[in-house]
Amino acid sequence: MKAVYKTDVGRIRKNNEDSVGIFLNRDGQRLAIVADGMGGHRAGDVASNMTLTTLKEMWEESEGIQTADQAEEWLKSKIIHVNRVLFDHANTHDECDGMGTTIEAVITTNLFATVAHVGDSRCYILNESGFQQLTEDHTLVNELVRTGQISKEDAEHHPRKNVIMRALGTELNVSIDIKTITFEEGDILLLCSDGLSNKVSEAELAEILKNEDDLEKKSNLLISTANERGGEDNISLAIVEFSDTGEGDL
């Protein structure tokens, strides 16, 4: 397994409200996380960082995940816990009132990958079947597309494109999308915040992931491309490749 993660403040914003990391549990399995915070003042980075650090601490103490059901239950229960932690913090700290974050969290093992998703950050997979998005954006505009009220092309330039319908920390209860897929030799997973997916097309993402560069160069190219297109938002990504070589292991 090879993996890399990066975050960049972009070209416009002063603060980086994204948090990203890849962590190992006691069995050497990986948990990759991308969280894109939102909220007034500096509350966005509080929400995303609390999410990352809380999940990191619980993951590093975990072990014994052998099946997809166990991975799905771990992600569901722990993200529900994080949601409550964020919600309680926002309600007891005035400066964090209304804060929230997206969450893209993926457990990878030698047999499968389990994806947990809330918000508009994304998870993609590149495998022998091609390149596809595994997650469904929890946004107003995507709901309009899904129900046939606007086209996918219209959605790209919709004035309410950034309105998120679901996030961690904003409500007492949260609904989490969870799915498990087969993860095999040569497959690549890409997790990213919308600072990347809003600037780089799916065709371009796939082209960069398919090139012969190592993961470090691929991640740098993805971020520089988003910045060249304006870089109005923070840009974060995590890439995990199923490989039998040790290069770049995390």
Side-chain angles (χ1 to χ4, degrees):
M1 210 78 73
K2 296 190 289 186
V4 67
Y5 63 89
K6 288 185 181 295
T7 186
D8 188 271
V9 71
R11 290 190 164 178
I12 305 298
R13 298 193 174 184
K14 293 182 179 180
N15 299 322
N16 192 341
E17 296 188 330
D18 290 359
S19 295
V20 56
I22 300 174
F23 311 106
L24 298 177
N25 69 359
R26 290 177 173 175
D27 294 327
Q29 297 165 326
R30 285 161 182 76
L31 173 67
I33 300 169
V34 170
D36 181 353
M38 64 202 80
H41 306 292
R42 291 180 61 84
D45 43 342
V46 172
S48 67
N49 187 257
M50 285 180 67
T51 296
L52 186 83
T53 55
T54 304
L55 287 171
K56 171 183 181 290
E57 290 169 1
M58 293 187 292
W59 180 249
E60 288 178 343
E61 294 300 313
S62 72
E63 59 187 343
I65 294 177
Q66 303 296 328
T67 68
D69 285 345
Q70 290 171 330
E72 291 181 7
E73 179 56 33
W74 191 95
L75 284 169
K76 181 180 179 181
S77 63
K78 299 305 186 284
I79 291 173
I80 286 173
H81 169 74
V82 169
N83 183 71
R84 178 62 67 90
V85 169
L86 295 181
F87 184 78
D88 290 347
H89 187 88
N91 281 284
T92 53
H93 296 75
D94 290 344
E95 72 276 11
C96 293
D97 183 39
M99 77 175 186
T101 183
T102 71
I103 179 69
E104 216 63 40
V106 181
I107 291 173
T108 58
T109 75
N110 289 332
L111 297 174
F112 60 84
T114 300
V115 182
H117 163 73
V118 179
D120 65 348
S121 295
R122 293 180 176 179
C123 181
Y124 299 92
I125 187 166
L126 175 67
N127 58 18
E128 61 182 10
S129 299
F131 184 74
Q132 63 174 315
Q133 183 178 334
L134 294 174
T135 53
E136 189 84 16
D137 294 350
H138 298 142
T139 60
L140 173 63
V141 166
N142 192 59
E143 185 65 18
L144 295 175
V145 172
R146 194 181 65 81
T147 55
Q149 298 180 58
I150 64 173
S151 69
K152 195 169 183 180
E153 290 70 30
D154 291 336
E156 291 299 317
H157 308 288
H158 197 282
R160 303 189 70 188
K161 182 178 180 180
N162 294 325
V163 176
I164 295 179
M165 305 293 288
R166 203 189 302 178
L168 284 190
T170 57
E171 302 286 345
L172 181 59
N173 298 304
V174 65
S175 178
I176 308 161
D177 293 351
I178 299 180
K179 69 168 62 177
T180 296
I181 60 167
T182 302
F183 196 43
E184 300 177 316
E185 180 73 22
D187 293 357
I188 298 177
L189 288 169
L190 169 66
L191 290 67
C192 67
S193 62
D194 64 340
L196 180 67
S197 57
N198 281 343
K199 291 296 180 182
V200 186
S201 71
E202 288 195 5
E204 291 169 318
L205 293 174
E207 181 180 357
I208 291 171
L209 290 178
K210 288 176 182 177
N211 72 36
E212 296 301 317
D213 291 339
D214 61 26
L215 295 189
E216 184 78 15
K217 290 181 180 178
K218 289 177 182 179
S219 61
N220 287 336
L221 180 54
L222 288 168
I223 287 175
S224 65
T225 302
N227 274 323
E228 287 166 6
R229 306 275 169 83
E232 293 90 351
D233 200 355
N234 308 143
I235 308 155
S236 297
L237 61 86
I239 305 173
V240 182
E241 179 179 1
F242 195 120
S243 171
D244 60 4
T245 66
E247 179 191 353
D249 277 5
L250 273 173

